Amino acid sequence: MMADLIAGGLIAAVVLAAAFYVYKAKKSGKKCIGCPDSGSCSGGCSGCCGGCHGHH
């Protein structure tokens, strides 16, 4: 029972941390979160991670 509560708390903490990261990244103007070129990316996420219009 106690192990289930701890596991649930850890999962909730990870989910909240991920949601906060996405919120913070979007607020800072990143269009493609996780893309190394996201600050200068045009927003076409399928072309990100190396294909952001010459910003290699």
Side-chain angles (χ1 to χ4, degrees):
M1 177 89 162
M2 188 64 155
D4 291 337
L5 291 175
I6 293 171
L10 287 174
I11 291 171
V14 168
V15 169
L16 287 173
F20 180 71
Y21 174 78
V22 170
Y23 170 77
K24 188 175 165 186
K26 286 289 186 180
K27 193 159 176 94
S28 71
K30 293 185 178 181
K31 293 177 179 69
C32 299
I33 299 170
C35 177
D37 299 323
S38 64
S40 59
C41 189
S42 65
C45 294
S46 62
C48 277
C49 299
C52 289
H53 305 291
H55 297 284
H56 298 283

